[in-house]
Amino acid sequence: MKLLITGLFILGAFLTELSSQNADKIAMTPPMGWNSWNKFGCDVSEKLIKEMADAMVSSGMSKAGYQYVVIDDCWQIDRDSAGNIIADPERFPSGIKALADYVHSKGLKFGIYSCAGTKTCQRRPGSRGYQYQDARQYAAWGVDYLKYDWCYNEEQDAKAAYKTMSDALKESGRPIVFSICEWGSNEPWKWAEGIGHLWRTTADIRDCFDCELNWGGLGVLNIIDKQVDLWKYAGPGHWNDPDMLEVGNGGMSEEEYKTHFSMWCMLAAPLMAGNDLRNMTESTQMILTNKEVIAVNQDSLGNQGIKFLDMGDHEIWVKFLKNNEIAVCFLNRSEQPWLCNYNWGKMNIYHIGKAVRFSSMKYKIRDLWEHKMIGTTEQNLNKEIPGHCVLMVRLIPVKE
Ligand code: GLA
């Protein structure tokens, strides 16, 4: 008997170790998917989620790398007498397991939302006090991704609260991406590596280019400005999350959406589309599925881009990629066109032990939105960059 108990104990420890190793191996590049919140808010249902999974495949999004289909707040309505979480039976009549099965049948992954507080932000039941029970339930349903919010947290210690759910997910035995959503309030970049795979760095995004709402909502430029010092905390399996995408939701111009998407890719941000995938315009589809820009985001080194040069209205960002390639993004914050005449020879980059001297290196330049080669770093770059737009290029070393 004693031997059996010891054996079971060792097996248990082995399985826990295995599942936490699994947890360390997921999200090795920034997660890509779709989330219901930005466009649909509380208006979620199994019909909507199924249609979105269908559209994810038919629109070419899944081929471009998007895989998680995540229901945000409002799917849950109550707990039963045993404390089990109950999905809204009117909106999800077939139950969450059937929905997860449907999403999986499309070759996609399935995600869900809860909150570290007693209630979610929309006052649905939160997971406080039910973390292990909820994690086991999610695993039984086939959940692959959990976004975990911070409303009604009742002044818990953030690190402890997120670690509890992280441990519960690891013990569930299913690899589940853990998305920490405490809006950057407790500087999660300093403590969340190993606890979650991504953590929000700011308040909620708004579908505008340059705006700051009095409750904290932020536009694209306002969010970018808050990412500048965070590059050192990102890497494979642990990402800064500047919030989900607004591309295609109607509040910005095509150029502004290109900028939004380009910069999220430069920042190695998770790419969670937040628009209606069923009726995307050609422009929205073209932006969200630009494979060359996505490849910068998904680069296996997992470096977050850094602001290399700040000239007020004009900025230059660089992201170091595998094979000694470099993504460079010229960001025009102003409404006026930027007549950019850039002398690469003057560019010296020193970054995490890496020094790149353009005066001694030669690169071919590929424009990632025009999809063409546009010269080498031996000549000045001569480009007009429209207002609120970017020029995003990939530098490829020329082997002499
Ligand atoms: C918070 C989060 C949002 C969204 C809503 C849902 O505001 O930051 O991303 O999940 O809650 O209520």
Side-chain angles (χ1 to χ4, degrees):
M1 186 63 181
K2 212 170 158 193
L3 208 67
L4 181 69
I5 292 174
T6 317
L8 283 176
F9 182 76
I10 293 172
L11 182 69
F14 173 70
L15 288 178
T16 308
E17 174 61 23
L18 203 69
S19 63
S20 71
Q21 275 176 18
N22 282 343
D24 291 342
K25 293 236 164 55
I26 45 182
M28 296 308 279
T29 58
M32 294 175 66
W34 175 87
N35 174 297
S36 55
W37 183 253
N38 283 356
K39 173 75 184 173
F40 298 97
C42 260
D43 196 10
V44 288
S45 66
E46 70 181 38
K47 181 171 177 289
L48 178 83
I49 302 300
K50 280 179 160 180
E51 288 177 3
M52 223 50 76
D54 294 345
M56 186 104 121
V57 177
S58 62
S59 63
M61 290 281 285
S62 61
K63 226 178 174 174
Y66 297 85
Q67 53 172 346
Y68 294 97
V69 178
V70 182
I71 323 177
D72 207 280
D73 208 346
C74 301
W75 61 269
Q76 61 284 72
I77 200 162
D78 205 353
R79 291 191 182 272
D80 67 15
S81 56
N84 298 308
I85 190 76
I86 304 174
D88 182 337
E90 271 172 31
R91 290 175 171 264
F92 297 89
S94 317
I96 302 297
K97 170 87 173 74
L99 186 53
D101 289 347
Y102 184 85
V103 171
H104 290 148
S105 77
K106 297 269 149 184
L108 303 170
K109 292 187 169 167
F110 178 71
I112 215 166
Y113 161 102
S114 188
C115 184
T118 44
K119 289 185 221 160
T120 71
C121 296
Q122 302 303 313
R123 298 167 168 264
R124 303 303 174 98
S127 286
R128 186 172 190 190
Y130 297 91
Q131 295 89 339
Y132 280 77
Q133 187 170 5
D134 283 354
R136 279 196 296 274
Q137 179 69 87
Y138 302 152
W141 281 339
V143 168
D144 306 297
Y145 184 112
L146 174 69
K147 173 175 169 185
Y148 203 54
D149 219 329
W150 192 231
C151 284
Y152 300 95
N153 67 73
E154 294 160 348
E155 295 180 18
Q156 293 175 77
D157 175 72
K159 182 176 176 187
Y162 282 95
K163 176 139 189 340
T164 305
M165 186 46 113
S166 171
D167 290 346
L169 292 174
K170 285 171 188 163
E171 264 199 41
S172 78
R174 189 177 170 87
I176 297 177
V177 174
F178 189 34
S179 153
I180 294 176
C181 177
E182 58 76 81
W183 324 305
S185 332
N186 300 277
E187 304 188 314
W189 44 89
K190 293 190 177 155
W191 48 262
E193 180 180 347
I195 294 179
H197 301 98
L198 57 152
W199 48 81
R200 280 273 299 278
T201 55
T202 67
D204 290 9
I205 191 167
R206 279 294 163 263
D207 189 9
C208 51
F209 192 67
D210 188 5
C211 65
E212 195 151 357
L213 308 184
N214 52 15
W215 57 268
L218 295 169
V220 162
L221 281 185
N222 316 74
I223 289 190
I224 292 171
D225 289 342
K226 293 185 188 300
Q227 312 309 310
V228 177
D229 297 325
L230 302 183
W231 56 267
K232 46 182 153 329
Y233 302 104
H238 51 101
W239 309 101
N240 290 306
D241 174 9
D243 207 358
M244 304 171 293
L245 298 166
E246 289 283 10
V247 178
N249 280 337
M252 289 182 251
S253 68
E254 173 168 333
E255 301 298 14
E256 290 168 341
Y257 280 139
K258 271 190 189 170
T259 299
H260 173 21
F261 193 69
S262 302
M263 285 305 296
W264 262 233
C265 288
M266 290 298 290
L267 291 166
L271 298 179
M272 301 302 283
N275 58 314
D276 190 341
L277 304 179
R278 297 167 302 185
N279 51 24
M280 283 190 274
T281 61
E282 231 173 79
S283 152
T284 299
Q285 205 254 4
M286 175 275 290
I287 294 172
L288 287 173
T289 61
N290 182 332
K291 289 189 183 156
E292 295 198 72
V293 174
I294 292 174
V296 169
N297 176 267
Q298 293 289 302
D299 185 81
S300 58
L301 294 186
N303 289 322
Q304 177 169 325
I306 53 166
K307 182 152 78 171
F308 161 68
L309 210 58
D310 189 334
M311 301 170 281
D313 279 348
H314 305 148
E315 295 175 1
I316 303 178
W317 289 69
V318 296
K319 182 181 195 289
F320 291 98
L321 309 174
K322 65 182 180 200
N323 301 329
N324 294 318
E325 298 186 0
I326 306 172
V328 183
C329 192
F330 296 78
L331 166 62
N332 182 4
R333 303 170 65 106
S334 85
E335 283 174 3
Q336 307 310 318
W338 174 7
L339 303 172
C340 178
N341 186 342
Y342 191 67
N343 180 351
W344 296 97
K346 286 200 177 146
M347 187 169 177
N348 286 322
I349 306 174
Y350 300 93
H351 178 52
I352 15 181
K354 233 178 156 118
V356 179
R357 277 182 202 80
F358 280 81
S359 40
S360 58
M361 296 279 292
K362 184 174 162 194
Y363 294 86
K364 289 183 284 181
I365 307 171
R366 185 163 177 86
D367 183 326
L368 303 184
W369 285 105
E370 295 293 327
H371 304 295
K372 61 179 194 215
M373 306 306 294
I374 54 166
T376 75
T377 50
E378 284 187 325
Q379 299 97 39
N380 278 17
L381 177 84
N382 244 314
K383 276 271 177 192
E384 179 173 323
I385 304 170
H388 289 183
C389 201
V390 292
L391 169 70
M392 185 167 171
V393 299
R394 189 179 187 104
L395 304 183
I396 306 156
V398 177
K399 293 181 192 89
E400 304 286 350

Coordinates of all heavy atoms in Angstrom, one line a residue, residues 37 72-73 113 121-122 147 149 151 181 183 200 204 243-244, ligand 1:
W37 N -14.6 40.6 -28.2 CA -14.9 41.8 -27.4 C -15.0 43.1 -28.2 O -16.0 43.8 -28.2 CB -14.0 42.0 -26.3 CG -14.4 43.2 -25.4 CD1 -13.7 44.4 -25.4 CD2 -15.5 43.3 -24.6 NE1 -14.4 45.2 -24.6 CE2 -15.5 44.6 -24.0 CE3 -16.5 42.4 -24.2 CZ2 -16.5 45.1 -23.2 CZ3 -17.5 42.9 -23.3 CH2 -17.5 44.2 -22.8
D72 N -15.0 36.3 -25.4 CA -14.7 37.2 -24.3 C -15.8 37.2 -23.3 O -16.5 36.1 -23.1 CB -14.4 38.6 -24.8 CG -13.4 39.4 -24.0 OD1 -13.9 40.0 -22.9 OD2 -12.2 39.5 -24.3
D73 N -16.0 38.2 -22.6 CA -17.0 38.3 -21.5 C -18.4 37.9 -21.9 O -18.7 38.1 -23.1 CB -16.9 39.7 -20.9 CG -17.3 39.8 -19.4 OD1 -17.8 38.8 -18.9 OD2 -17.0 40.8 -18.8
Y113 N -13.0 33.2 -21.6 CA -12.6 34.4 -20.7 C -13.2 34.2 -19.3 O -14.3 33.7 -19.1 CB -13.2 35.6 -21.4 CG -13.4 36.9 -20.5 CD1 -12.5 37.9 -20.5 CD2 -14.4 37.0 -19.6 CE1 -12.6 39.0 -19.7 CE2 -14.6 38.1 -18.8 CZ -13.7 39.1 -18.9 OH -13.8 40.2 -18.1
C121 N -15.9 41.8 -15.7 CA -16.1 43.2 -15.8 C -17.5 43.5 -16.2 O -18.0 44.6 -16.0 CB -15.1 43.8 -16.9 SG -13.4 43.7 -16.4
Q122 N -18.2 42.5 -16.8 CA -19.7 42.7 -17.1 C -20.5 42.0 -16.0 O -21.7 41.6 -16.3 CB -20.0 42.2 -18.5 CG -19.2 42.8 -19.6 CD -19.3 44.3 -19.6 OE1 -20.4 44.9 -19.6 NE2 -18.2 45.0 -19.7
K147 N -8.3 34.0 -21.3 CA -8.1 35.4 -21.0 C -8.6 35.7 -19.6 O -9.8 35.4 -19.4 CB -8.7 36.3 -22.1 CG -8.6 37.8 -21.7 CD -9.2 38.6 -22.9 CE -9.3 40.1 -22.5 NZ -10.0 40.9 -23.5
D149 N -9.3 38.4 -16.6 CA -9.4 39.8 -16.3 C -9.2 40.2 -14.8 O -8.9 39.3 -14.0 CB -10.8 40.2 -16.8 CG -10.8 41.6 -17.5 OD1 -9.9 42.4 -17.1 OD2 -11.6 41.8 -18.4
C151 N -11.3 42.8 -13.0 CA -12.4 43.6 -12.4 C -12.8 42.9 -11.1 O -12.5 41.7 -10.9 CB -13.6 43.7 -13.3 SG -13.3 44.8 -14.7
C181 N -4.8 39.8 -18.0 CA -5.4 41.0 -18.5 C -5.7 41.9 -17.2 O -6.8 42.1 -16.8 CB -6.7 40.7 -19.2 SG -7.7 42.2 -19.7
W183 N -4.3 45.0 -17.3 CA -4.2 46.4 -17.9 C -2.8 47.0 -17.5 O -2.7 48.3 -17.6 CB -5.3 47.3 -17.4 CG -6.7 46.5 -17.3 CD1 -7.2 45.8 -18.3 CD2 -7.5 46.5 -16.2 NE1 -8.4 45.3 -17.9 CE2 -8.6 45.6 -16.6 CE3 -7.5 47.0 -14.9 CZ2 -9.7 45.3 -15.7 CZ3 -8.5 46.7 -14.0 CH2 -9.6 45.9 -14.4
R200 N -1.5 42.0 -20.7 CA -1.9 43.3 -21.2 C -1.0 44.4 -20.5 O -0.6 44.2 -19.4 CB -3.3 43.6 -20.9 CG -4.3 42.9 -21.9 CD -4.5 43.8 -23.1 NE -5.1 45.0 -22.6 CZ -6.4 45.2 -22.3 NH1 -7.3 44.2 -22.6 NH2 -6.9 46.3 -21.9
D204 N -7.9 49.5 -22.1 CA -8.4 49.0 -23.3 C -8.2 49.9 -24.5 O -8.2 51.1 -24.4 CB -10.0 48.9 -23.2 CG -10.3 47.7 -22.2 OD1 -9.4 47.2 -21.6 OD2 -11.5 47.4 -22.1
D243 N -3.0 45.0 -26.4 CA -4.4 44.8 -26.6 C -4.7 44.3 -28.0 O -3.9 44.3 -28.9 CB -5.3 46.0 -26.2 CG -6.7 45.6 -25.8 OD1 -7.0 44.4 -25.8 OD2 -7.5 46.5 -25.4
M244 N -6.0 44.0 -28.2 CA -6.4 43.3 -29.4 C -6.5 44.3 -30.6 O -6.6 45.5 -30.3 CB -7.8 42.6 -29.2 CG -7.6 41.6 -28.0 SD -9.2 40.9 -27.4 CE -10.0 42.3 -26.8
Ligands
GLA1 C1 -12.0 44.5 -19.7 C2 -10.9 44.0 -20.6 C3 -11.4 44.0 -22.1 C4 -12.7 43.1 -22.1 C5 -13.7 43.6 -21.1 C6 -14.9 42.6 -21.0 O1 -12.3 45.9 -19.9 O2 -9.7 44.8 -20.6 O3 -10.5 43.5 -23.0 O4 -12.3 41.8 -21.8 O5 -13.1 43.7 -19.8 O6 -15.8 43.0 -20.0

